[in-house]
Amino acid sequence: MYIKINYYNKISTKEDKPAMKINLKAARVNANMTQEQAAKMINVHRQSIVAWENGNTKIGAAHLMSLCSIYNVSIDDIILPKNSTKSR
């Protein structure tokens, strides 16, 4: 897998964009949070959460770390494909 953090601190994955958007939504749902609740906790608009979950915009590293923290998951759980993460 190819992961790149570009000049603007945006995380992009060459192969796993679909996996990332599925994992972002799954992590939020597993944390029993709505998009509105997650957005409020990291001080963004709900539309930002929607766009990140749908893969329409790239998520910044700081926001990704914040979401991982409130969802109680690791960044690997979000950006790596399912078969690459360790079982817990």
Side-chain angles (χ1 to χ4, degrees), residues 5-23:
I5 298 179
N6 68 24
Y7 181 76
Y8 297 103
N9 236 8
K10 302 290 184 192
I11 294 179
S12 61
T13 57
K14 191 172 187 179
E15 299 172 354
D16 298 314
K17 184 177 176 183
M20 182 184 255
K21 71 182 195 178
I22 291 168
N23 291 342

Side-chain angles (χ1 to χ4, degrees), residues 46-75:
R46 184 188 65 80
Q47 290 85 353
S48 296
I49 302 291
V50 171
W52 297 333
E53 287 183 358
N54 290 333
N56 294 335
T57 60
K58 294 179 183 176
I59 186 170
H63 286 125
L64 178 60
M65 292 185 332
S66 295
L67 287 176
C68 287
S69 177
I70 65 170
Y71 296 161
N72 198 27
V73 297
S74 73
I75 291 177

Side-chain angles (χ1 to χ4, degrees), residues 25-60:
K25 182 174 181 177
R28 178 182 54 77
V29 170
N30 287 336
N32 294 316
M33 297 185 98
T34 65
Q35 292 171 334
E36 186 69 37
Q37 291 168 327
K40 194 174 211 176
M41 291 184 79
I42 64 169
N43 297 316
V44 298
H45 292 284
R46 184 188 65 80
Q47 290 85 353
S48 296
I49 302 291
V50 171
W52 297 333
E53 287 183 358
N54 290 333
N56 294 335
T57 60
K58 294 179 183 176
I59 186 170

